[in-house]
Amino acid sequence: MKKLVLIAILAFVGFNSAMAQKTAKMQFKSETLDYGEIKKGSDGVRVFEFTNTGDIDLVITNVTSSCGCTIPKKPDGPVKPGESGKIEVKYDTRRVGPIRKTVTVYSNAEEPTKALKIKGRVLDDEAAKTDDGDTDTK
């Protein structure tokens, strides 16, 4: 009988502890940044915006990119529940061609590893002139 009571108490305490676990959660406005078509050498800085919809402070421990042409910057400190934060991404727009990169966020969130995407196209000087409506007819 004592064993049954002990098992019931342990099960009850274990269930309550599992229910009481609080977590941080990242809710992004968008998980993909679309640069669209941009000119070579233009400003390559964009921002992923997110909100901590969890119960505890969100701590982003690291942010990495899939190549050296993309430099991400994480928030300086923790993001409190209900507050918003930003992850800044700078793409090297001197590289002409399509943009298809991944930015990976590591944190204490319920989903500890989050992959974000950036896409777009960097146009060379000639393509940018044509797209701007400039024509060179000789």
Side-chain angles (χ1 to χ4, degrees), residues 1-10:
M1 179 69 172
K2 288 181 183 180
K3 287 183 183 179
L4 278 175
V5 171
L6 181 60
I7 291 172
I9 290 172
L10 288 175

Side-chain angles (χ1 to χ4, degrees), residues 21-39:
Q21 281 185 338
K22 295 183 177 187
T23 60
K25 295 179 186 176
M26 278 188 291
Q27 179 69 45
F28 284 88
K29 279 190 174 180
S30 175
E31 295 182 13
T32 301
L33 278 177
D34 189 353
Y35 279 71
E37 291 186 339
I38 58 174
K39 293 180 184 179

